Amino acid sequence: MTDPMTRERSALITATAFVVALSLRPALTAVGPVLPRIGQDLQLGEAAQGLLGTLPLLAFAVASPLVHLASRRFGMERAVFVSLLVLAASSALRPYTGQAGLWIGTAVVGAAIAVGNVLVPVIIKRDYSAHVSRATGVYTAFITGGAAVASILAVPIADAVDWRLSLAVWGGLAVLVAIVWLPRTLAPEPMPAPRTEDETPPVSVWRQPMAWLVTGFMGLQSTSFYLVVNWLPTIEITTGGVSERSTGVHLFVFQVFGLIGGLSIPFLLKHPTNQRAGLMTASTPILIALLGLLLAPHLAIVWAVIGGLGQGAGLVAALSLISIRGRGHHETTQLSGMAQAVGYALAASGPVLAGYLTQATGGWTVTLIVFATLAALQVTVGFVGGVDRRTPSTHQKPAPSGAAA
């Protein structure tokens, strides 16, 4: 029997999984508020700026299915540790290595974050098997909190020094998180529970309509999230006359209310086969926010609040849907990989499409109409995919897992 001090130390080490979540978004959300400066300094048009914002998502889509290879080779804890070091180096170097270094470094940043996206939820599932839903809510709160801090600090740091430091500083955060994570790499990695025969998916997830609905929801909510974090400051400056510093605050507000939405929505996702109310509730606010930016851009702070609630809830809903729809550990892992690979590939098109449409039409009207339509599609997918109609004979007890958006 372990003594209280040993148990307390073990609990603290286990909780470091949430600390890792703090480092999974700042390198991405710090870009949006200073994107106009990057474009002006490096002579990048709107389409190129959109591609810069979407490059990490392409890296997510490519790297996510490969993460299990590193996990098998080194173990999950060590793979996460190495990814944190790579994230630190690429974050610090990309702003200071010219235009080529910015592009390459951004891709490497995305690949490093993909490792955490895939493995940290699996680690949380393993370590908090009795409280997976609650732990997932805390995990997403830490992700949102890290993203929010990066959003609000980006412009002040750029004003004080330049945009390069406002991107590079988050490499220091990754180093600190790696130090906190280090004790996990020194201990023997816990063995996962053996897989039983009934956990083998009867049909590949790639051939299951329900899996495609889950993937569609994941991709659509990610598309709107990365549109906002990359382009909201530019949209507000262009259409609403908002100051650059205020846009950073609005993006911070968006993230903070995302935290509130993410912690609130699990109450509507508890039913084992019907999550329609939760998915609809999570999806509708982002549709309202995009329509609001289109019709009343001067109320940008209101749409940041409403959109933030929807995006935070949408992220938790997407993660929970993967957990609930997966029948056994093996199928849940497959579903998680599919949702990330395809979902992030879909999300990657968002910032680029927004930049292209804006550059081609000379304004944000068409862009906001297109993305409001995608948000309406998310509501529809949530309605259709919110009920699991698979036969009871093939529906095993859910094995919660997750994947970050």
Side-chain angles (χ1 to χ4, degrees):
M1 186 174 181
T2 57
D3 62 85
M5 186 174 294
T6 301
R7 288 198 300 270
E8 184 177 346
R9 180 176 180 273
S10 177
L12 287 173
I13 292 176
T14 301
T16 56
F18 302 123
V19 179
V20 172
L22 285 174
S23 66
L24 296 181
R25 290 299 178 271
L28 308 182
T29 58
V31 174
V34 296
L35 194 56
R37 302 191 192 198
I38 297 173
Q40 183 178 10
D41 194 10
L42 300 180
Q43 297 183 335
L44 301 176
E46 284 86 354
Q49 292 176 45
L51 180 58
L52 183 67
T54 205
L55 192 55
L57 307 186
L58 293 173
F60 287 176
V62 173
S64 294
L66 306 176
V67 170
H68 75 281
L69 299 176
S71 176
R72 288 180 180 178
R73 178 72 175 82
F74 303 106
M76 289 192 291
E77 268 77 6
R78 291 178 180 85
V80 170
F81 180 72
V82 172
S83 74
L84 287 169
L85 296 181
V86 173
L87 176 59
S90 55
S91 296
L93 292 175
R94 64 170 172 164
Y96 298 106
T97 50
Q99 192 169 137
L102 180 66
W103 290 101
I104 295 171
T106 298
V108 175
V109 162
I113 292 174
V115 176
N117 283 347
V118 173
L119 295 184
V120 175
V122 176
I123 292 171
I124 288 175
K125 173 196 168 185
R126 183 197 67 199
D127 293 348
Y128 294 91
S129 56
H131 307 284
V132 174
S133 297
R134 189 184 308 170
T136 299
V138 175
Y139 166 69
T140 56
F142 271 75
I143 287 181
T144 304
V149 171
S151 298
I152 198 169
L153 291 181
V155 171
I157 293 173
D159 285 343
V161 185
D162 59 16
W163 65 264
R164 289 178 171 83
L165 183 64
S166 71
L167 299 189
V169 70
W170 304 110
L173 173 63
V175 170
L176 293 176
V177 172
I179 293 171
V180 172
W181 186 257
L182 183 60
R184 277 184 173 262
T185 69
L186 304 177
E189 185 162 330
M191 294 296 292
R195 182 163 59 90
T196 58
E197 224 175 272
D198 65 353
E199 287 179 328
T200 302
V203 179
S204 168
V205 293
W206 294 90
R207 296 168 57 192
Q208 294 183 27
M210 180 56 67
W212 282 104
L213 289 170
V214 172
T215 298
F217 190 86
M218 182 78 170
L220 288 167
Q221 67 86 23
S222 294
T223 299
S224 55
F225 173 79
Y226 286 105
L227 167 77
V228 173
V229 297
N230 281 284
W231 285 115
L232 180 62
T234 305
I235 292 171
E236 291 187 346
I237 290 170
T238 304
T239 64
V242 180
S243 70
E244 188 181 50
R245 184 176 290 272
S246 294
T247 64
V249 174
H250 291 178
L251 202 53
F252 174 77
V253 169
F254 174 82
Q255 303 284 3
V256 168
F257 276 86
L259 190 153
I260 296 171
L263 290 176
S264 303
I265 200 64
F267 295 103
L268 296 177
L269 300 169
K270 290 182 177 180
H271 195 280
T273 60
N274 190 337
Q275 294 76 41
R276 181 173 284 168
L279 300 186
M280 299 284 287
T281 301
S283 302
T284 304
I286 192 62
L287 172 60
I288 295 173
L290 290 171
L291 290 174
L293 285 171
L294 175 65
L295 300 174
H298 59 286
L299 298 176
I301 185 63
V302 175
W303 313 130
V305 169
I306 294 174
L309 288 170
Q311 281 304 304
L315 172 60
V316 175
L319 301 182
S320 299
L321 200 59
I322 292 172
S323 302
I324 295 166
R325 293 292 183 266
R327 299 168 297 186
H329 176 75
H330 186 61
E331 183 173 86
T332 302
T333 302
Q334 285 190 351
L335 180 57
S336 177
M338 173 183 174
Q340 287 192 69
V342 179
Y344 282 130
L346 175 62
S349 66
V352 174
L353 178 61
Y356 173 78
L357 288 175
T358 302
Q359 189 168 299
T361 62
W364 284 95
T365 299
V366 173
T367 302
L368 289 172
I369 290 173
V370 168
F371 281 88
T373 302
L374 291 176
L377 180 59
Q378 179 184 329
V379 175
T380 304
V381 171
F383 180 83
V384 176
V387 178
D388 191 352
R389 296 183 176 85
R390 292 174 296 185
T391 59
S393 60
T394 62
H395 186 80
Q396 309 294 335
K397 184 181 179 181
S401 182

